[in-house]
PDB file of all heavy atoms in Angstrom:
ATOM      1  N   ARG A 238     -44.415 -50.794 131.726  1.00  0.00           N
ATOM      2  CA  ARG A 238     -44.287 -51.220 130.336  1.00  0.00           C
ATOM      3  C   ARG A 238     -44.595 -52.705 130.130  1.00  0.00           C
ATOM      4  O   ARG A 238     -44.297 -53.252 129.065  1.00  0.00           O
ATOM      5  CB  ARG A 238     -42.867 -50.903 129.827  1.00  0.00           C
ATOM      6  CG  ARG A 238     -42.616 -49.409 129.642  1.00  0.00           C
ATOM      7  CD  ARG A 238     -41.139 -49.098 129.564  1.00  0.00           C
ATOM      8  NE  ARG A 238     -40.878 -47.696 129.242  1.00  0.00           N
ATOM      9  CZ  ARG A 238     -40.994 -46.695 130.113  1.00  0.00           C
ATOM     10  NH1 ARG A 238     -41.356 -46.942 131.360  1.00  0.00           N
ATOM     11  NH2 ARG A 238     -40.739 -45.443 129.744  1.00  0.00           N
ATOM     12  N   LEU A 239     -45.180 -53.338 131.110  1.00  0.00           N
ATOM     13  CA  LEU A 239     -45.491 -54.755 130.977  1.00  0.00           C
ATOM     14  C   LEU A 239     -46.549 -54.980 129.897  1.00  0.00           C
ATOM     15  O   LEU A 239     -47.554 -54.271 129.835  1.00  0.00           O
ATOM     16  CB  LEU A 239     -45.997 -55.320 132.309  1.00  0.00           C
ATOM     17  CG  LEU A 239     -44.995 -55.390 133.456  1.00  0.00           C
ATOM     18  CD1 LEU A 239     -45.636 -56.066 134.667  1.00  0.00           C
ATOM     19  CD2 LEU A 239     -43.724 -56.132 133.040  1.00  0.00           C
ATOM     20  N   THR A 240     -46.290 -55.973 129.073  1.00  0.00           N
ATOM     21  CA  THR A 240     -47.246 -56.348 128.033  1.00  0.00           C
ATOM     22  C   THR A 240     -48.175 -57.439 128.561  1.00  0.00           C
ATOM     23  O   THR A 240     -47.915 -58.064 129.595  1.00  0.00           O
ATOM     24  CB  THR A 240     -46.504 -56.865 126.790  1.00  0.00           C
ATOM     25  OG1 THR A 240     -45.592 -57.899 127.171  1.00  0.00           O
ATOM     26  CG2 THR A 240     -45.729 -55.742 126.129  1.00  0.00           C
ATOM     27  N   GLU A 241     -49.266 -57.656 127.856  1.00  0.00           N
ATOM     28  CA  GLU A 241     -50.227 -58.684 128.263  1.00  0.00           C
ATOM     29  C   GLU A 241     -49.624 -60.071 128.082  1.00  0.00           C
ATOM     30  O   GLU A 241     -48.690 -60.283 127.306  1.00  0.00           O
ATOM     31  CB  GLU A 241     -51.507 -58.561 127.435  1.00  0.00           C
ATOM     32  CG  GLU A 241     -52.266 -57.269 127.655  1.00  0.00           C
ATOM     33  CD  GLU A 241     -52.789 -57.139 129.075  1.00  0.00           C
ATOM     34  OE1 GLU A 241     -53.100 -58.185 129.690  1.00  0.00           O
ATOM     35  OE2 GLU A 241     -52.890 -56.003 129.566  1.00  0.00           O
ATOM     36  N   GLY A 242     -50.192 -61.017 128.784  1.00  0.00           N
ATOM     37  CA  GLY A 242     -49.775 -62.401 128.643  1.00  0.00           C
ATOM     38  C   GLY A 242     -48.544 -62.713 129.482  1.00  0.00           C
ATOM     39  O   GLY A 242     -47.888 -61.835 130.031  1.00  0.00           O
ATOM     40  N   LEU A 243     -48.240 -64.006 129.554  1.00  0.00           N
ATOM     41  CA  LEU A 243     -47.108 -64.483 130.336  1.00  0.00           C
ATOM     42  C   LEU A 243     -45.926 -64.779 129.422  1.00  0.00           C
ATOM     43  O   LEU A 243     -46.088 -65.286 128.320  1.00  0.00           O
ATOM     44  CB  LEU A 243     -47.475 -65.759 131.100  1.00  0.00           C
ATOM     45  CG  LEU A 243     -48.575 -65.630 132.161  1.00  0.00           C
ATOM     46  CD1 LEU A 243     -48.897 -66.999 132.748  1.00  0.00           C
ATOM     47  CD2 LEU A 243     -48.171 -64.658 133.258  1.00  0.00           C
ATOM     48  N   ALA A 244     -44.746 -64.449 129.895  1.00  0.00           N
ATOM     49  CA  ALA A 244     -43.507 -64.828 129.201  1.00  0.00           C
ATOM     50  C   ALA A 244     -42.734 -65.761 130.113  1.00  0.00           C
ATOM     51  O   ALA A 244     -42.944 -65.792 131.326  1.00  0.00           O
ATOM     52  CB  ALA A 244     -42.670 -63.585 128.895  1.00  0.00           C
ATOM     53  N   LYS A 245     -41.822 -66.527 129.535  1.00  0.00           N
ATOM     54  CA  LYS A 245     -40.949 -67.386 130.332  1.00  0.00           C
ATOM     55  C   LYS A 245     -39.671 -66.627 130.671  1.00  0.00           C
ATOM     56  O   LYS A 245     -39.163 -65.870 129.848  1.00  0.00           O
ATOM     57  CB  LYS A 245     -40.597 -68.652 129.571  1.00  0.00           C
ATOM     58  CG  LYS A 245     -41.647 -69.747 129.619  1.00  0.00           C
ATOM     59  CD  LYS A 245     -41.083 -71.018 128.989  1.00  0.00           C
ATOM     60  CE  LYS A 245     -42.007 -72.198 129.184  1.00  0.00           C
ATOM     61  NZ  LYS A 245     -41.384 -73.452 128.654  1.00  0.00           N
ATOM     62  N   LEU A 246     -39.152 -66.863 131.861  1.00  0.00           N
ATOM     63  CA  LEU A 246     -37.861 -66.292 132.205  1.00  0.00           C
ATOM     64  C   LEU A 246     -36.818 -66.754 131.205  1.00  0.00           C
ATOM     65  O   LEU A 246     -35.973 -65.976 130.758  1.00  0.00           O
ATOM     66  CB  LEU A 246     -37.463 -66.698 133.624  1.00  0.00           C
ATOM     67  CG  LEU A 246     -36.130 -66.159 134.132  1.00  0.00           C
ATOM     68  CD1 LEU A 246     -36.165 -64.642 134.219  1.00  0.00           C
ATOM     69  CD2 LEU A 246     -35.791 -66.769 135.487  1.00  0.00           C
ATOM     70  N   ASP A 247     -36.880 -68.019 130.833  1.00  0.00           N
ATOM     71  CA  ASP A 247     -36.010 -68.582 129.791  1.00  0.00           C
ATOM     72  C   ASP A 247     -36.839 -69.582 129.011  1.00  0.00           C
ATOM     73  O   ASP A 247     -37.280 -70.592 129.568  1.00  0.00           O
ATOM     74  CB  ASP A 247     -34.796 -69.265 130.422  1.00  0.00           C
ATOM     75  CG  ASP A 247     -33.772 -69.712 129.383  1.00  0.00           C
ATOM     76  OD1 ASP A 247     -34.169 -69.988 128.230  1.00  0.00           O
ATOM     77  OD2 ASP A 247     -32.579 -69.784 129.726  1.00  0.00           O
ATOM     78  N   PRO A 248     -37.090 -69.320 127.717  1.00  0.00           N
ATOM     79  CA  PRO A 248     -37.915 -70.236 126.920  1.00  0.00           C
ATOM     80  C   PRO A 248     -37.387 -71.671 126.879  1.00  0.00           C
ATOM     81  O   PRO A 248     -38.152 -72.592 126.589  1.00  0.00           O
ATOM     82  CB  PRO A 248     -37.880 -69.597 125.520  1.00  0.00           C
ATOM     83  CG  PRO A 248     -37.631 -68.151 125.780  1.00  0.00           C
ATOM     84  CD  PRO A 248     -36.701 -68.114 126.967  1.00  0.00           C
ATOM     85  N   ALA A 249     -36.110 -71.865 127.185  1.00  0.00           N
ATOM     86  CA  ALA A 249     -35.525 -73.210 127.121  1.00  0.00           C
ATOM     87  C   ALA A 249     -35.763 -74.018 128.398  1.00  0.00           C
ATOM     88  O   ALA A 249     -35.465 -75.209 128.437  1.00  0.00           O
ATOM     89  CB  ALA A 249     -34.021 -73.114 126.852  1.00  0.00           C
ATOM     90  N   LEU A 250     -36.293 -73.386 129.452  1.00  0.00           N
ATOM     91  CA  LEU A 250     -36.438 -74.058 130.737  1.00  0.00           C
ATOM     92  C   LEU A 250     -37.905 -74.310 131.069  1.00  0.00           C
ATOM     93  O   LEU A 250     -38.775 -73.475 130.779  1.00  0.00           O
ATOM     94  CB  LEU A 250     -35.818 -73.209 131.848  1.00  0.00           C
ATOM     95  CG  LEU A 250     -34.329 -72.884 131.718  1.00  0.00           C
ATOM     96  CD1 LEU A 250     -33.890 -71.989 132.877  1.00  0.00           C
ATOM     97  CD2 LEU A 250     -33.495 -74.157 131.678  1.00  0.00           C
ATOM     98  N   ALA A 251     -38.163 -75.457 131.704  1.00  0.00           N
ATOM     99  CA  ALA A 251     -39.502 -75.697 132.235  1.00  0.00           C
ATOM    100  C   ALA A 251     -39.774 -74.668 133.319  1.00  0.00           C
ATOM    101  O   ALA A 251     -38.958 -74.474 134.224  1.00  0.00           O
ATOM    102  CB  ALA A 251     -39.586 -77.110 132.806  1.00  0.00           C
ATOM    103  N   SER A 252     -40.923 -74.020 133.229  1.00  0.00           N
ATOM    104  CA  SER A 252     -41.202 -72.887 134.126  1.00  0.00           C
ATOM    105  C   SER A 252     -42.626 -72.997 134.665  1.00  0.00           C
ATOM    106  O   SER A 252     -43.537 -72.308 134.199  1.00  0.00           O
ATOM    107  CB  SER A 252     -40.997 -71.565 133.388  1.00  0.00           C
ATOM    108  OG  SER A 252     -39.683 -71.480 132.866  1.00  0.00           O
ATOM    109  N   PRO A 253     -42.841 -73.847 135.668  1.00  0.00           N
ATOM    110  CA  PRO A 253     -44.194 -74.087 136.162  1.00  0.00           C
ATOM    111  C   PRO A 253     -44.732 -73.012 137.100  1.00  0.00           C
ATOM    112  O   PRO A 253     -45.936 -72.933 137.321  1.00  0.00           O
ATOM    113  CB  PRO A 253     -44.033 -75.419 136.912  1.00  0.00           C
ATOM    114  CG  PRO A 253     -42.613 -75.390 137.413  1.00  0.00           C
ATOM    115  CD  PRO A 253     -41.834 -74.696 136.334  1.00  0.00           C
ATOM    116  N   ARG A 254     -43.854 -72.182 137.653  1.00  0.00           N
ATOM    117  CA  ARG A 254     -44.302 -71.184 138.625  1.00  0.00           C
ATOM    118  C   ARG A 254     -44.537 -69.847 137.936  1.00  0.00           C
ATOM    119  O   ARG A 254     -43.826 -69.478 136.996  1.00  0.00           O
ATOM    120  CB  ARG A 254     -43.247 -71.016 139.731  1.00  0.00           C
ATOM    121  CG  ARG A 254     -42.884 -72.328 140.435  1.00  0.00           C
ATOM    122  CD  ARG A 254     -44.041 -72.859 141.282  1.00  0.00           C
ATOM    123  NE  ARG A 254     -44.317 -71.975 142.391  1.00  0.00           N
ATOM    124  CZ  ARG A 254     -43.685 -72.040 143.571  1.00  0.00           C
ATOM    125  NH1 ARG A 254     -42.713 -72.930 143.759  1.00  0.00           N
ATOM    126  NH2 ARG A 254     -44.005 -71.221 144.542  1.00  0.00           N
ATOM    127  N   VAL A 255     -45.519 -69.117 138.420  1.00  0.00           N
ATOM    128  CA  VAL A 255     -45.861 -67.822 137.832  1.00  0.00           C
ATOM    129  C   VAL A 255     -45.625 -66.717 138.860  1.00  0.00           C
ATOM    130  O   VAL A 255     -46.113 -66.791 139.993  1.00  0.00           O
ATOM    131  CB  VAL A 255     -47.330 -67.775 137.353  1.00  0.00           C
ATOM    132  CG1 VAL A 255     -47.687 -66.378 136.852  1.00  0.00           C
ATOM    133  CG2 VAL A 255     -47.551 -68.802 136.253  1.00  0.00           C
ATOM    134  N   VAL A 256     -44.851 -65.716 138.449  1.00  0.00           N
ATOM    135  CA  VAL A 256     -44.676 -64.509 139.259  1.00  0.00           C
ATOM    136  C   VAL A 256     -45.650 -63.480 138.689  1.00  0.00           C
ATOM    137  O   VAL A 256     -45.376 -62.835 137.660  1.00  0.00           O
ATOM    138  CB  VAL A 256     -43.219 -63.993 139.196  1.00  0.00           C
ATOM    139  CG1 VAL A 256     -43.070 -62.736 140.046  1.00  0.00           C
ATOM    140  CG2 VAL A 256     -42.252 -65.071 139.668  1.00  0.00           C
ATOM    141  N   THR A 257     -46.794 -63.347 139.325  1.00  0.00           N
ATOM    142  CA  THR A 257     -47.867 -62.510 138.792  1.00  0.00           C
ATOM    143  C   THR A 257     -47.423 -61.062 138.621  1.00  0.00           C
ATOM    144  O   THR A 257     -47.794 -60.399 137.641  1.00  0.00           O
ATOM    145  CB  THR A 257     -49.088 -62.575 139.727  1.00  0.00           C
ATOM    146  OG1 THR A 257     -49.447 -63.942 139.928  1.00  0.00           O
ATOM    147  CG2 THR A 257     -50.265 -61.825 139.118  1.00  0.00           C
ATOM    148  N   ARG A 258     -46.636 -60.574 139.567  1.00  0.00           N
ATOM    149  CA  ARG A 258     -46.197 -59.176 139.526  1.00  0.00           C
ATOM    150  C   ARG A 258     -45.493 -58.852 138.221  1.00  0.00           C
ATOM    151  O   ARG A 258     -45.595 -57.746 137.699  1.00  0.00           O
ATOM    152  CB  ARG A 258     -45.267 -58.917 140.708  1.00  0.00           C
ATOM    153  CG  ARG A 258     -44.511 -57.592 140.673  1.00  0.00           C
ATOM    154  CD  ARG A 258     -43.772 -57.367 141.987  1.00  0.00           C
ATOM    155  NE  ARG A 258     -42.801 -56.294 141.905  1.00  0.00           N
ATOM    156  CZ  ARG A 258     -43.092 -55.004 141.922  1.00  0.00           C
ATOM    157  NH1 ARG A 258     -44.360 -54.621 141.978  1.00  0.00           N
ATOM    158  NH2 ARG A 258     -42.141 -54.086 141.877  1.00  0.00           N
ATOM    159  N   TRP A 259     -44.791 -59.857 137.663  1.00  0.00           N
ATOM    160  CA  TRP A 259     -44.024 -59.634 136.433  1.00  0.00           C
ATOM    161  C   TRP A 259     -44.583 -60.398 135.232  1.00  0.00           C
ATOM    162  O   TRP A 259     -43.971 -60.388 134.168  1.00  0.00           O
ATOM    163  CB  TRP A 259     -42.551 -60.016 136.652  1.00  0.00           C
ATOM    164  CG  TRP A 259     -41.877 -59.051 137.586  1.00  0.00           C
ATOM    165  CD1 TRP A 259     -41.447 -59.286 138.856  1.00  0.00           C
ATOM    166  CD2 TRP A 259     -41.611 -57.679 137.323  1.00  0.00           C
ATOM    167  NE1 TRP A 259     -40.920 -58.149 139.402  1.00  0.00           N
ATOM    168  CE2 TRP A 259     -41.004 -57.135 138.484  1.00  0.00           C
ATOM    169  CE3 TRP A 259     -41.809 -56.828 136.227  1.00  0.00           C
ATOM    170  CZ2 TRP A 259     -40.603 -55.807 138.576  1.00  0.00           C
ATOM    171  CZ3 TRP A 259     -41.417 -55.499 136.320  1.00  0.00           C
ATOM    172  CH2 TRP A 259     -40.823 -55.002 137.484  1.00  0.00           C
ATOM    173  N   ARG A 260     -45.729 -61.040 135.420  1.00  0.00           N
ATOM    174  CA  ARG A 260     -46.329 -61.802 134.315  1.00  0.00           C
ATOM    175  C   ARG A 260     -45.273 -62.712 133.685  1.00  0.00           C
ATOM    176  O   ARG A 260     -45.087 -62.731 132.468  1.00  0.00           O
ATOM    177  CB  ARG A 260     -46.928 -60.857 133.268  1.00  0.00           C
ATOM    178  CG  ARG A 260     -48.017 -59.956 133.830  1.00  0.00           C
ATOM    179  CD  ARG A 260     -48.530 -58.959 132.817  1.00  0.00           C
ATOM    180  NE  ARG A 260     -49.405 -57.982 133.467  1.00  0.00           N
ATOM    181  CZ  ARG A 260     -49.848 -56.870 132.901  1.00  0.00           C
ATOM    182  NH1 ARG A 260     -49.495 -56.594 131.650  1.00  0.00           N
ATOM    183  NH2 ARG A 260     -50.614 -56.028 133.554  1.00  0.00           N
ATOM    184  N   LEU A 261     -44.629 -63.457 134.552  1.00  0.00           N
ATOM    185  CA  LEU A 261     -43.458 -64.222 134.153  1.00  0.00           C
ATOM    186  C   LEU A 261     -43.539 -65.641 134.714  1.00  0.00           C
ATOM    187  O   LEU A 261     -43.804 -65.837 135.904  1.00  0.00           O
ATOM    188  CB  LEU A 261     -42.201 -63.525 134.701  1.00  0.00           C
ATOM    189  CG  LEU A 261     -40.852 -63.882 134.104  1.00  0.00           C
ATOM    190  CD1 LEU A 261     -40.777 -63.495 132.625  1.00  0.00           C
ATOM    191  CD2 LEU A 261     -39.739 -63.165 134.877  1.00  0.00           C
ATOM    192  N   ARG A 262     -43.314 -66.607 133.835  1.00  0.00           N
ATOM    193  CA  ARG A 262     -43.176 -68.001 134.267  1.00  0.00           C
ATOM    194  C   ARG A 262     -41.709 -68.269 134.577  1.00  0.00           C
ATOM    195  O   ARG A 262     -40.842 -67.929 133.769  1.00  0.00           O
ATOM    196  CB  ARG A 262     -43.657 -68.952 133.173  1.00  0.00           C
ATOM    197  CG  ARG A 262     -45.166 -68.929 132.942  1.00  0.00           C
ATOM    198  CD  ARG A 262     -45.596 -70.040 131.995  1.00  0.00           C
ATOM    199  NE  ARG A 262     -47.031 -70.072 131.828  1.00  0.00           N
ATOM    200  CZ  ARG A 262     -47.876 -70.708 132.650  1.00  0.00           C
ATOM    201  NH1 ARG A 262     -47.399 -71.368 133.702  1.00  0.00           N
ATOM    202  NH2 ARG A 262     -49.168 -70.693 132.433  1.00  0.00           N
ATOM    203  N   VAL A 263     -41.451 -68.875 135.717  1.00  0.00           N
ATOM    204  CA  VAL A 263     -40.069 -69.111 136.123  1.00  0.00           C
ATOM    205  C   VAL A 263     -39.916 -70.543 136.631  1.00  0.00           C
ATOM    206  O   VAL A 263     -40.876 -71.141 137.122  1.00  0.00           O
ATOM    207  CB  VAL A 263     -39.628 -68.121 137.233  1.00  0.00           C
ATOM    208  CG1 VAL A 263     -39.786 -66.681 136.770  1.00  0.00           C
ATOM    209  CG2 VAL A 263     -40.394 -68.370 138.513  1.00  0.00           C
ATOM    210  N   PRO A 264     -38.688 -71.092 136.523  1.00  0.00           N
ATOM    211  CA  PRO A 264     -38.419 -72.379 137.160  1.00  0.00           C
ATOM    212  C   PRO A 264     -38.567 -72.250 138.672  1.00  0.00           C
ATOM    213  O   PRO A 264     -38.260 -71.192 139.251  1.00  0.00           O
ATOM    214  CB  PRO A 264     -36.967 -72.683 136.769  1.00  0.00           C
ATOM    215  CG  PRO A 264     -36.726 -71.852 135.545  1.00  0.00           C
ATOM    216  CD  PRO A 264     -37.540 -70.605 135.749  1.00  0.00           C
ATOM    217  N   ALA A 265     -39.020 -73.306 139.343  1.00  0.00           N
ATOM    218  CA  ALA A 265     -39.270 -73.243 140.784  1.00  0.00           C
ATOM    219  C   ALA A 265     -38.016 -72.848 141.552  1.00  0.00           C
ATOM    220  O   ALA A 265     -38.083 -72.097 142.537  1.00  0.00           O
ATOM    221  CB  ALA A 265     -39.795 -74.594 141.281  1.00  0.00           C
ATOM    222  N   ARG A 266     -36.846 -73.307 141.103  1.00  0.00           N
ATOM    223  CA  ARG A 266     -35.622 -73.034 141.861  1.00  0.00           C
ATOM    224  C   ARG A 266     -35.279 -71.539 141.866  1.00  0.00           C
ATOM    225  O   ARG A 266     -34.579 -71.076 142.758  1.00  0.00           O
ATOM    226  CB  ARG A 266     -34.450 -73.833 141.303  1.00  0.00           C
ATOM    227  CG  ARG A 266     -34.027 -73.474 139.895  1.00  0.00           C
ATOM    228  CD  ARG A 266     -32.829 -74.323 139.478  1.00  0.00           C
ATOM    229  NE  ARG A 266     -32.362 -73.988 138.148  1.00  0.00           N
ATOM    230  CZ  ARG A 266     -32.832 -74.535 137.032  1.00  0.00           C
ATOM    231  NH1 ARG A 266     -33.811 -75.432 137.097  1.00  0.00           N
ATOM    232  NH2 ARG A 266     -32.345 -74.198 135.856  1.00  0.00           N
ATOM    233  N   TRP A 267     -35.769 -70.767 140.886  1.00  0.00           N
ATOM    234  CA  TRP A 267     -35.474 -69.338 140.868  1.00  0.00           C
ATOM    235  C   TRP A 267     -36.205 -68.612 141.993  1.00  0.00           C
ATOM    236  O   TRP A 267     -35.769 -67.555 142.439  1.00  0.00           O
ATOM    237  CB  TRP A 267     -35.841 -68.727 139.526  1.00  0.00           C
ATOM    238  CG  TRP A 267     -34.767 -68.940 138.504  1.00  0.00           C
ATOM    239  CD1 TRP A 267     -34.512 -70.082 137.809  1.00  0.00           C
ATOM    240  CD2 TRP A 267     -33.795 -67.981 138.079  1.00  0.00           C
ATOM    241  NE1 TRP A 267     -33.434 -69.903 136.979  1.00  0.00           N
ATOM    242  CE2 TRP A 267     -32.977 -68.618 137.114  1.00  0.00           C
ATOM    243  CE3 TRP A 267     -33.546 -66.658 138.408  1.00  0.00           C
ATOM    244  CZ2 TRP A 267     -31.922 -67.970 136.489  1.00  0.00           C
ATOM    245  CZ3 TRP A 267     -32.499 -65.998 137.790  1.00  0.00           C
ATOM    246  CH2 TRP A 267     -31.688 -66.654 136.834  1.00  0.00           C
ATOM    247  N   LEU A 268     -37.311 -69.153 142.459  1.00  0.00           N
ATOM    248  CA  LEU A 268     -38.027 -68.545 143.570  1.00  0.00           C
ATOM    249  C   LEU A 268     -37.413 -68.927 144.901  1.00  0.00           C
ATOM    250  O   LEU A 268     -37.691 -68.311 145.928  1.00  0.00           O
ATOM    251  CB  LEU A 268     -39.507 -68.959 143.545  1.00  0.00           C
ATOM    252  CG  LEU A 268     -40.284 -68.526 142.292  1.00  0.00           C
ATOM    253  CD1 LEU A 268     -41.727 -68.953 142.392  1.00  0.00           C
ATOM    254  CD2 LEU A 268     -40.183 -67.018 142.103  1.00  0.00           C
ATOM    255  N   GLN A 269     -36.576 -69.950 144.916  1.00  0.00           N
ATOM    256  CA  GLN A 269     -35.944 -70.420 146.145  1.00  0.00           C
ATOM    257  C   GLN A 269     -34.555 -69.863 146.335  1.00  0.00           C
ATOM    258  O   GLN A 269     -33.970 -69.970 147.408  1.00  0.00           O
ATOM    259  CB  GLN A 269     -35.870 -71.959 146.129  1.00  0.00           C
ATOM    260  CG  GLN A 269     -37.224 -72.628 146.024  1.00  0.00           C
ATOM    261  CD  GLN A 269     -37.124 -74.098 145.667  1.00  0.00           C
ATOM    262  OE1 GLN A 269     -36.023 -74.618 145.455  1.00  0.00           O
ATOM    263  NE2 GLN A 269     -38.258 -74.769 145.608  1.00  0.00           N
TER     264      GLN A 269
END
Side-chain angles (χ1 to χ4, degrees):
R238 289 162 174 76
L239 293 184
T240 53
E241 296 296 329
L243 296 176
K245 278 188 172 184
L246 181 64
D247 187 332
L250 300 178
S252 303
R254 304 291 294 274
V255 175
V256 180
T257 306
R258 169 172 167 77
W259 291 111
R260 300 176 189 169
L261 197 64
R262 290 189 177 275
V263 302
R266 65 179 182 272
W267 278 78
L268 298 181
Q269 300 166 358

